Amino acid sequence: MLFLSMTWTVERFSRSKKLGGNNAMSRGRRTLLLLCLLLMASLLSAHTLRADNSIRTDAKISYDPQTHVFRLAGADISYIFGVNERQQLQSIYWGQRLPDADSIASVHSVGGSSSFDPPINATQQEYVAWGGGLYVTPDVKVTFADGNRDLVLQYVSHQIDGNHLNILLKDVQREVYVTLSYTVDAETGILARSARIENRTNAALTVEELNAATWNLPAASDYQLYQLTGKWAGEWNLQRQSMHPGKTMMESRRGSTGDEINPWFALERGVSQGEQSDDVWFGALGWSGSWQIAIEQDYVHQTRITGGYSGFDFAYHLAPGESLHSPTFYAGFAQHGMGEASRLLHRYELHALVPQRANWRPRPVLYNSWEATGFDVDEAGQEVLAEKAARIGVERFVIDDGWFGQRNSDHAGLGDWNVNSKKFPHGLKPLIDKVHSLGMDFGLWVEPEMVNADSDLYRAHPDWVLNFPGRPRTEERNQMVLNLARPDVRAYVYGVLDHLLSSHDIAFLKWDYNRNWSEPGWPSAALEDQKKVYVDYVQNLYGILAQLRVAHPGVEIESCSGGGARVDLGILQLTDEAWPSDNTDPFDRLAIQNGFSYAYAPGLMMSWVTDSPNWVNGRATSLPYRFLSSMQGSLGIGANLNQWSAEEIQTAKTFIAQYKLIRPIVQQGSLYRLIEPSGDSPYVVTESVSRERQQAVVFAFLHSSQQRLAYPPVYLRGLDPEVNYRLKVLDGNLNGSVPASASGAFWMHYGLHFNLRGDYEAAALLLEKEGVQ
Ligand code: DGJ
């Protein structure tokens, strides 16, 4: 089509020239022009083919000294702002990439709508301090020792280094500096922004708010805001609401990320609720402590998104010469709806953030007996399970809670990280050796940030927990939170883990965190430093994880938090996967996994096959249904293998072997949510397409068929329309009329017709490009 319209252009061009008489083109020139146009056409058609993914993979930052305009470009996006006449950084544009040749005029502040409405509020600034009549959300707020609380930042200088930009701002009077940092990703156009405030005055000041960035969107009244909310065993619910003037505050005051709301957002322009259409701006915070994201539509309908440390109970004392760094706020733009937004985020996480970014290894199939044995772990019992796990194809065997101290229930033992000698009389080594001899690697559960009152650690160091002296210490799950901000606690926790990893051959830690903070006091710190606990705790957590990874480079870590309560782009830079929910019911999981996928890559999501009926809700499902639900993420087995029949063992073997074939596609591919879980529909379909569009995997689920209605046709996406894909049914049924091989166009437009009937039925298919081994 594009080719035809290009040749038509050549025709018309030559004819008009001819009609003009004098300048008829030579044949040679015409051929050259035709070749150029063909080249352009093929580039443009490549553009069209790949429009759903990213088109360009370059990044560029420039500054125009005439107009004072900064242009950041990466992949398909442009992000543009300028320095206005008030020396403020003013946002100009964020969206589809603009050609470099298009000039952008210098920018001027926007007047208020009345004489008592200072322009500082209507002007969309990149980063604005509280001062000078600001009423919209500030990025930073301070109190000086002399009582002054006014801070007004102006541009001073900047530095460009490849795809990285630093901009220095300074208060109009005082020696308070803020450095803004921008990095633009060449593959996805996702920007990473953060800020650092530095006190160069000769008196202390207190930072009361510090955000990483403000993202500004064009004025419009048709934004839809998406958020991920939940609770224990019911995490990752996608919420959608229309934006209107006013402010929506998303936050966690829990001391960590929580399942109540995740530090992720998306704003879609328009009303189509599209997986495929509409402009979407999305972002997520890289911070695992208390956080906030304010989404504000101001009185002229401009939308600003400001995120960083939670301002609640926040105060960070900065002595002269000291500085404070904000978390990093990541954000991107997608032209093709929510589907593309999450695919960009997944790609960014996998190639730019997670520890394995440079060298992704498929996530191994794991076994964990938590749901089967609870705290009753011992050498003999675990060895039996290990043998069975190895037989079905498991690659990693993990001991969960209960292996240490007096840990026979959740009432005691946390903090005492010595192997329980009754359960493991010879230590862990014989079991680890056995696991290795079976061809698996070994993993261990830890919850290093916590302590039970009934533990040797607490008896020795009751002052190590978060507390206010003389006040009650609230327990959740019978445990308290160790104050990791304290240097001695940090050293203890690192020492324990380093010793465990040095004295055992351990490949994996399941790092659990089973409660939120209460009474967040740090009595041993100087009074003015006590609230630093919100920052220093998390920095020390990151420090321990980073130090462990350096000292034990082979060890992988899962971020688990009583379900999916601590999943964010901060912890994911130091851990290899996340546990999304304690709810392992395969039907509930379809919705949980779907929500998770809006913000985080399926390859980072641990998904267990457990026993039926499920402990959460008593629901009975078949083993194939359970496998297919879990195979959409990183597969684990959490069932009691001792109770599986020979037939079930054989079924598991088959599914695990199939999973190993498809896991690179599921874990690293592009995810298309073809039919999303919804209370109104009994159908769910996902599709994952490999990076080069060589293969695709499709999972289809039926809750319950009604009124003899057929499963709706499923139209695939993201395939190469012009090549043939062979179809392989991994499990379940298709209607007999489906061809064994057909073009990508066929699968995308004619579609697939599943033959699923009954309750909790599922199917899975693999499509492979013809000629690919
Ligand atoms: C909560 C986790 O989410 C579970 O998987 C399990 O590890 C328990 N903690 C152990 O106490």
Side-chain angles (χ1 to χ4, degrees):
M1 170 84 171
L2 194 60
F3 173 75
L4 281 180
S5 70
M6 282 296 177
T7 27
W8 176 80
T9 315
V10 174
E11 270 294 293
R12 203 172 51 154
F13 179 82
S14 337
R15 204 177 310 138
S16 68
K17 290 288 182 191
K18 268 187 208 147
L19 284 174
N22 299 334
N23 288 330
M25 251 189 181
S26 75
R27 213 172 150 186
R29 272 181 163 179
R30 260 210 312 269
T31 317
L32 191 64
L33 179 68
L34 184 63
L35 282 174
C36 288
L37 288 171
L38 280 174
L39 183 66
M40 275 170 61
S42 71
L43 286 175
L44 280 169
S45 72
H47 174 121
T48 317
L49 285 176
R50 299 175 58 196
D52 215 6
N53 293 316
S54 193
I55 298 152
R56 301 177 62 167
T57 51
D58 64 319
K60 190 173 166 189
I61 299 182
S62 64
Y63 172 73
D64 182 339
Q66 307 298 320
T67 55
H68 308 291
V69 167
F70 290 94
R71 296 176 71 138
L72 290 75
D76 293 337
I77 75 113
S78 288
Y79 185 91
I80 304 175
F81 58 93
V83 184
N84 69 19
E85 79 289 356
R86 294 169 190 261
Q87 304 304 305
Q88 300 162 333
L89 292 185
Q90 186 173 338
S91 303
I92 299 177
Y93 174 84
W94 184 19
Q96 187 169 355
R97 188 154 176 173
L98 303 178
D100 293 348
D102 287 335
S103 59
I104 305 287
S106 49
V107 70
H108 299 281
S109 61
V110 179
S113 51
S114 72
S115 57
F116 50 85
D117 187 7
I120 193 171
N121 294 299
T123 302
Q124 288 185 295
Q125 292 192 54
E126 287 285 295
Y127 201 85
V128 62
W130 186 73
L134 186 85
Y135 309 127
V136 293
T137 309
D139 287 287
V140 56
K141 179 180 183 306
V142 301
T143 291
F144 291 91
D146 62 2
N148 170 41
R149 306 195 303 278
D150 185 63
L151 187 72
V152 176
L153 297 172
Q154 289 185 328
Y155 167 83
V156 177
S157 62
H158 73 269
Q159 209 178 14
I160 296 173
D161 181 8
N163 65 341
H164 188 78
L165 164 69
N166 273 344
I167 299 183
L168 188 67
L169 309 175
K170 181 188 169 296
D171 177 57
V172 285
Q173 284 180 337
R174 300 193 176 196
E175 294 294 301
V176 174
Y177 290 82
V178 172
T179 305
L180 303 184
S181 156
Y182 295 77
T183 305
V184 59
D185 179 50
E187 271 205 38
T188 59
I190 288 179
L191 288 138
R193 289 183 57 190
S194 62
R196 184 169 68 93
I197 179 165
E198 194 184 347
N199 177 11
R200 291 194 209 159
T201 71
N202 45 29
L205 61 82
T206 303
V207 181
E208 288 158 350
E209 291 264 357
L210 186 68
N211 287 294
T214 288
W215 307 98
N216 291 298
L217 304 189
S221 305
D222 59 350
Y223 287 114
Q224 307 294 317
L225 169 63
Y226 290 82
Q227 298 165 309
L228 289 165
T229 65
K231 63 171 191 65
W232 178 77
E235 298 89 343
W236 310 106
N237 298 303
L238 188 72
Q239 310 292 348
R240 178 173 169 274
Q241 56 176 294
S242 297
M243 285 293 292
H244 49 74
K247 183 156 145 181
T248 299
M249 188 58 129
M250 302 163 57
E251 65 172 354
S252 165
R253 299 180 177 188
R254 295 165 181 257
S256 70
T257 334
D259 42 30
E260 195 178 11
I261 188 156
N262 191 264
W264 167 91
F265 74 91
L267 278 157
E268 182 186 30
R269 183 85 198 272
V271 288
S272 75
Q273 304 176 35
E275 267 292 284
Q276 304 180 46
S277 55
D278 290 341
D279 289 349
V280 175
W281 292 264
F282 57 92
L285 267 178
W287 183 241
S288 311
S290 290
W291 60 270
Q292 65 184 25
I293 298 177
I295 306 200
E296 184 170 11
Q297 195 176 96
D298 66 22
Y299 57 111
V300 285
H301 296 193
Q302 299 173 140
T303 296
R304 308 154 195 257
I305 305 119
T306 304
Y309 296 127
S310 166
F312 177 79
D313 197 34
F314 190 83
Y316 203 97
H317 182 80
L318 284 187
E322 287 185 341
S323 61
L324 173 63
H325 212 299
S326 77
T328 303
F329 201 174
Y330 303 87
F333 168 76
Q335 297 167 53
H336 301 286
M338 295 296 290
E340 189 194 14
S342 44
R343 283 188 291 279
L344 287 172
L345 206 40
H346 297 169
R347 187 179 301 179
Y348 184 71
E349 288 157 3
L350 297 183
H351 92 90
L353 272 186
V354 297
Q356 292 195 27
R357 58 189 174 269
N359 180 24
W360 176 268
R361 279 164 292 162
R363 309 297 312 137
V365 178
L366 162 164
Y367 178 78
N368 179 309
S369 71
W370 171 248
E371 285 199 20
T373 58
F375 295 97
D376 293 334
V377 287
D378 62 26
E379 187 180 313
Q382 292 292 302
E383 283 194 5
V384 171
L385 286 167
E387 280 166 9
K388 296 191 169 160
R391 228 173 283 151
I392 58 175
V394 164
E395 297 158 309
R396 170 168 291 166
F397 186 84
V398 184
I399 306 191
D400 209 279
D401 203 346
W403 60 268
F404 54 90
Q406 296 309 306
R407 188 73 170 164
N408 299 313
S409 73
D410 61 16
H411 286 264
L414 274 182
D416 300 339
W417 299 105
N418 46 303
V419 181
N420 182 303
S421 57
K422 273 204 192 115
K423 299 178 183 180
F424 297 92
H426 317 286
L428 293 177
K429 189 166 185 319
L431 174 62
I432 296 177
D433 289 347
K434 171 92 184 182
V435 165
H436 288 160
S437 74
L438 291 165
M440 301 181 289
D441 68 27
F442 180 80
L444 196 63
W445 179 95
V446 288
E447 193 179 2
E449 298 157 76
M450 300 290 166
V451 66
N452 285 120
D454 186 0
S455 68
D456 292 342
L457 184 69
Y458 189 69
R459 281 183 280 274
H461 299 286
D463 53 329
W464 276 14
V465 298
L466 293 173
N467 75 94
F468 292 120
R471 304 284 305 169
R473 300 175 179 196
T474 303
E475 293 185 16
E476 295 171 25
R477 206 193 188 210
N478 312 304
Q479 62 197 53
M480 288 169 275
V481 184
L482 289 171
N483 182 358
L484 229 55
R486 288 175 59 128
D488 49 0
V489 175
R490 182 202 191 282
Y492 169 80
V493 169
Y494 177 77
V496 159
L497 295 169
D498 180 50
H499 176 70
L500 261 178
L501 295 175
S502 305
S503 49
H504 299 92
D505 193 349
I506 294 173
F508 173 78
L509 289 178
K510 176 178 172 183
W511 185 300
D512 213 338
Y513 176 86
N514 281 305
R515 63 157 291 182
N516 300 121
W517 292 14
S518 58
E519 300 95 20
W522 181 2
S524 57
L527 201 56
E528 67 274 16
D529 287 333
Q530 291 187 2
K531 288 186 179 176
K532 285 184 175 173
V533 68
Y534 289 108
V535 176
D536 293 12
Y537 180 111
V538 182
Q539 295 295 10
N540 282 350
L541 167 66
Y542 289 164
I544 293 169
L545 287 164
Q547 210 179 331
L548 285 173
R549 296 199 78 106
V550 170
H552 307 279
V555 175
E556 294 183 349
I557 303 172
E558 174 179 298
S559 174
C560 172
S561 176
R566 191 160 67 185
V567 186
D568 56 73
L569 295 186
I571 204 85
L572 285 175
Q573 291 177 48
L574 293 155
T575 54
D576 301 271
E577 64 192 32
W579 179 238
S581 178
D582 278 348
N583 185 342
T584 54
D585 170 68
F587 174 70
D588 280 5
R589 267 293 180 119
L590 295 180
I592 288 171
Q593 295 177 174
N594 182 68
F596 184 96
S597 79
Y598 273 84
Y600 304 106
L604 304 173
M605 177 179 74
M606 181 37 66
S607 283
W608 291 357
V609 172
T610 56
D611 284 316
S612 171
N614 190 276
W615 68 275
V616 169
N617 48 25
R619 180 178 286 127
T621 50
S622 70
L623 194 52
Y625 184 89
R626 281 176 269 152
F627 261 101
L628 295 185
S629 172
S630 296
M631 281 163 66
Q632 294 172 100
S634 181
L635 180 65
I637 314 294
N640 190 346
L641 299 181
N642 293 327
Q643 287 172 8
W644 277 13
S645 65
E647 195 191 336
E648 285 173 313
I649 293 279
Q650 188 49 48
T651 304
K653 227 178 183 167
T654 308
F655 277 105
I656 290 173
Q658 281 177 347
Y659 179 73
K660 287 177 184 168
L661 285 179
I662 62 168
R663 70 180 153 188
I665 315 167
V666 170
Q667 294 178 4
Q668 277 188 285
S670 298
L671 176 71
Y672 296 85
R673 293 176 287 254
L674 300 183
I675 305 181
E676 292 194 64
S678 117
D680 302 335
S681 153
Y683 315 112
V684 176
V685 184
T686 65
E687 179 197 4
S688 301
V689 181
S690 65
R691 283 293 292 275
E692 304 304 327
R693 299 187 299 170
Q694 309 267 19
Q695 296 158 308
V697 185
V698 182
F699 293 97
F701 301 87
L702 171 70
H703 177 272
S704 45
S705 49
Q706 291 170 40
Q707 303 172 2
R708 291 180 65 82
L709 288 170
Y711 206 90
V714 171
Y715 304 105
L716 301 192
R717 304 207 44 233
L719 302 178
D720 184 339
E722 280 154 29
V723 306
N724 269 24
Y725 291 85
R726 264 190 327 267
L727 176 75
K728 185 175 173 202
V729 178
L730 300 176
D731 196 58
N733 290 316
L734 285 166
N735 279 333
S737 55
V738 179
S741 174
S743 68
F746 178 91
W747 301 120
M748 293 194 287
H749 303 299
Y750 182 87
L752 284 163
H753 299 260
F754 288 95
N755 183 11
L756 291 177
R757 280 147 41 113
D759 295 343
Y760 302 114
E761 289 293 322
L765 313 171
L766 172 64
L767 286 133
E768 288 181 296
K769 226 176 194 174
E770 292 280 9
V772 174
Q773 294 306 310

